[in-house]
């Protein structure tokens, strides 16, 4: 029997709740993954239970993908409650008790989702303590998890005064994506790739997350963080750990978390000379941005995992706003073999090394590029690729959206895809030199791939994006 679960959603009327969390909870209910669930929404907005149910209906109709009459809505709507934020701990405790009275059992759990601004997180934690809602509870926290080592330690210390570390789930929606989890399956389940996943065969790794979006709606928040704090520490380093970790002793949360933390402990401190910071032209014109702002909207860096497997192999990370296209790519570049047997003009090596590419976009894909001979006389080579796309299989309908996966895992206590206090503090420790002595911010045009300096950072190699060829369209002629 499924354990009855009460999801208390703080910030229930915010953008994330509308687009992802409320539709995701409905989908988990529809699919039978959370069949015994009650949802308690709360925020400082003016609502009662009826108006919040209507708010939720509109959110799932617009963002849930099923239109105005989603399957299971009549039953799900009976499970939605509202606790007015202005009512404090008493109103929250009373509403949760009303919702849980519908379960008819004392065997239940609570999942508190803190979809609130960072400065409000600790006040919510103390509210839960005052409302006596800590026992049998887990909390999901959104980034940022501090802004440097001192603030991360302070935040974790305050959290641990109320919740045990085992109750805290620091969310990273990048790791909730099927493609990210496929890295583990691809690496450790296949004898073809596991033996070559180290420095003898891999030349370098790129993790590239450019974004087309700007910061018109988030400038106030972004001015105090920047691309490094916002994206690298909380997202890209987590993906790096999945890519670089050693085989866990078992496919279970503690073992995987420990291997991720070993990667973080093995990483060398980030050198400011190995970092390029940029700011898109026009950012300083946004309301709320200082006219002389040095906040980076772009960051690229080179880092190293100094252990036996990865010694000397550079990891290149890049992310930024207002770039040429949006993508989420992990690219493994293999070492090139000797070419002495191939005649001049054969084309070998002309398009760079062989690559294994993971696309972490919503429609996850993988690609393996390699050189092959063109038909005809002589030895003329060209780059070819084998591609796999999740949406071309019969499994596509079973895929959970990233936030759905993470809510489900947190509800069941599965910490595989969540980071720990030790892990996040280690990453801020690695970042100390960079944060204390950041390199100059370089301007770059909107719609570009960042400042020109990024090419010097990676030379004599080249960035994988933009691709020399696009993903295959299976519906195209000859595709």
């Amino acid at each position: 029997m499924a354990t009855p679960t009460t999801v208390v959603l703080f910030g229930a009327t915010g953008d994330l709740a509308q687009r992802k969390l409320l539709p995701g909870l409905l989908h988990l209910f529809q699919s039978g993954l959370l069949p015994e669930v009650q949802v308690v929404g709360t925020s400082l907005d003016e609502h009662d239970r009826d108006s919040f149910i209507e708010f939720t209906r509109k959110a799932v109709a617009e963002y849930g993908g099923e239109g105005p009459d989603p399957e299971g809505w009549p039953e799900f709507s009976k499970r939605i409650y509202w606790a007015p934020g202005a009512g404090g701990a008493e109103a929250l405790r009373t509403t949760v008790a009303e919702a849980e009275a519908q379960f008819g059992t004392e065997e239940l759990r609570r999942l508190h989702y803190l979809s609130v601004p960072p400065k409000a997180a600790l006040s919510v934690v103390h509210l839960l303590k005052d409302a006596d809602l800590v026992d049998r509870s887990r909390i999901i926290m959104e980034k940022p998890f501090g802004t440097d080592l001192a603030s991360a330690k302070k935040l974790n210390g305050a959290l641990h005064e109320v919740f045990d570390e085992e109750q805290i789930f620091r969310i990273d929606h990048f790791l909730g994506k099927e493609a990210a989890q496929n890295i583990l399956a691809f690496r450790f389940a296949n004898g073809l790739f596991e033996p070559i996943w180290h420095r003898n065969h891999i030349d370098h790794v790129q993790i590239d997350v450019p974004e087309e979006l700007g910061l018109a709606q988030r400038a106030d928040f972004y001015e105090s963080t920047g691309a490094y704090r916002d994206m690298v520490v909380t997202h890209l380093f987590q993906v790096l750990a999945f890519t670089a970790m050693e085989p866990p002793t078992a496919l279970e949360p503690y073992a995987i978390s420990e291997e991720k933390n070993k990667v973080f402990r093995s990483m060398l401190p980030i050198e400011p000379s190995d970092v390029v910071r940029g700011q898109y032209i026009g950012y300083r014109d946004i309301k709320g941005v200082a006219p002389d702002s040095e906040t980076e909207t772009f960051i690229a860096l080179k880092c190293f995992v100094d252990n036996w497997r990865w010694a000397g192999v550079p990891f290149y990370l890049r992310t930024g706003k207002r770039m040429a296209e949006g993508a989420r790519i992990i690219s493994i570049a293999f070492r090139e073999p000797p070419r002495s047997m191939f005649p001049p003009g054969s084309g070998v090596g002309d398009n760079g090394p062989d690559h294994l590419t993971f696309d972490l976009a919503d429609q996850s894909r993988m690609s393996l590029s390699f050189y092959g001979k063109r038909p005809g006389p002589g030895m003329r080579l060209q780059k070819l690729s084998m591609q796999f796309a999740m949406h071309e299989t019969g499994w596509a309908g079973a895929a959970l959206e990233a936030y759905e996966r993470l809510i489900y895992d947190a509800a069941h206590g599965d910490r595989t895809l969540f980071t720990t206090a030790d892990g996040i503090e280690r990453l801020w420790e690695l970042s100390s030199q960079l944060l204390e002595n950041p390199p100059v911010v370089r301007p770059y045009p909107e719609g570009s791939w960042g400042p020109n300096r990024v090419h010097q950072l990676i030379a004599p190699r080249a960035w994988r994006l933009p691709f020399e060829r696009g993903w295959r369209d299976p519906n195209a002629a000859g595709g």
Side-chain angles (χ1 to χ4, degrees), residues 139-187:
I139 63 169
I140 297 180
M141 296 195 65
E142 288 278 348
K143 65 172 186 176
F145 314 120
T147 56
D148 54 22
L149 180 59
S151 61
K153 286 184 173 181
K154 182 178 179 181
L155 174 62
N156 286 328
L159 289 171
H160 292 157
E161 291 177 0
V162 180
F163 289 94
D164 295 334
E165 175 64 19
E166 290 71 25
Q167 295 176 278
I168 304 169
F169 289 74
R170 298 169 186 83
I171 196 167
D172 175 13
H173 69 272
F174 273 48
L175 296 187
K177 295 179 179 296
E178 289 288 345
Q181 296 165 68
N182 236 331
I183 297 170
L184 295 182
F186 201 86
R187 282 190 59 189

Side-chain angles (χ1 to χ4, degrees), residues 61-77:
E62 183 172 357
Y63 299 106
E66 297 183 50
D69 189 26
E71 178 186 351
W73 169 253
E75 177 59 28
F76 183 72
S77 65

Side-chain angles (χ1 to χ4, degrees), residues 279-281 321-324 442-452:
Q279 184 186 94
Y280 69 80
I281 298 170
K321 306 293 185 183
R322 288 292 189 200
M323 297 185 69
R442 301 172 183 273
Y444 64 95
E446 295 186 38
S448 71
W449 287 101
N452 288 332

Side-chain angles (χ1 to χ4, degrees), residues 188-417:
F188 300 130
N190 295 293
L192 178 62
F193 288 100
E194 194 281 329
I196 63 173
W197 207 268
H198 58 73
R199 67 188 187 282
N200 290 347
H201 298 281
I202 292 176
D203 178 77
H204 68 278
V205 177
Q206 295 182 31
I207 301 174
D208 212 351
V209 187
E211 297 181 284
E212 291 181 294
L213 296 175
L215 292 161
Q217 308 302 321
R218 301 177 61 212
D220 289 343
F221 162 76
Y222 213 79
E223 272 289 273
S224 61
T225 55
Y228 186 82
R229 290 178 170 92
D230 183 49
M231 289 290 293
V232 176
V233 175
T234 52
H235 292 322
L236 273 63
F237 280 155
Q238 305 300 326
V239 174
L240 184 155
F242 257 41
T243 308
M245 63 189 276
E246 296 294 319
T249 55
L251 200 62
E252 57 90 18
Y254 177 79
I256 292 175
S257 292
E258 178 57 21
E259 294 304 334
K260 285 173 58 184
N261 285 342
K262 285 181 183 177
V263 172
F264 300 146
R265 290 196 291 269
S266 299
M267 288 176 65
L268 296 176
I270 307 301
E271 297 285 348
S273 58
D274 288 333
V275 176
V276 177
R277 297 168 71 230
Q279 184 186 94
Y280 69 80
I281 298 170
Y283 172 73
R284 294 180 180 178
D285 298 329
I286 298 173
K287 183 179 179 180
V289 176
D292 58 350
S293 172
E294 292 294 305
T295 299
E296 79 277 0
T297 63
F298 171 96
I299 191 102
L301 63 136
K302 175 171 62 176
C303 58
F304 294 91
V305 179
D306 191 28
N307 61 16
W308 187 267
R309 181 182 296 268
W310 296 108
V313 177
F315 287 75
Y316 296 100
L317 282 56
R318 177 174 65 168
T319 186
K321 306 293 185 183
R322 288 292 189 200
M323 297 185 69
E325 65 180 73
R328 297 167 183 174
I329 297 293
I330 305 171
S331 189
I332 315 295
F334 294 101
R335 293 193 180 278
E336 298 186 53
R339 307 173 190 167
S340 57
M341 64 179 286
F342 294 99
S346 66
V348 64
D350 285 357
N351 289 306
D354 301 338
H355 285 86
L356 175 64
T357 301
F358 296 89
D359 185 347
L360 304 189
D362 292 335
Q363 295 185 331
S364 60
R365 298 175 289 196
M366 292 185 293
S367 171
L368 177 63
S369 68
F370 54 92
Y371 286 94
K373 181 185 178 299
R374 293 178 61 176
M379 181 59 70
R380 182 67 181 167
L381 306 179
Q382 69 180 45
K383 211 62 174 299
L384 305 171
S385 69
M386 293 187 294
Q387 299 183 4
F388 161 79
M390 183 70 72
H391 62 276
E392 295 176 22
T393 72
W395 310 335
L400 292 176
E401 200 275 333
Y403 280 97
E404 296 169 4
R405 161 80 59 175
L406 294 167
I407 290 171
Y408 175 80
D409 285 354
H412 289 80
D414 186 337
R415 304 178 59 83
T416 302
L417 303 177

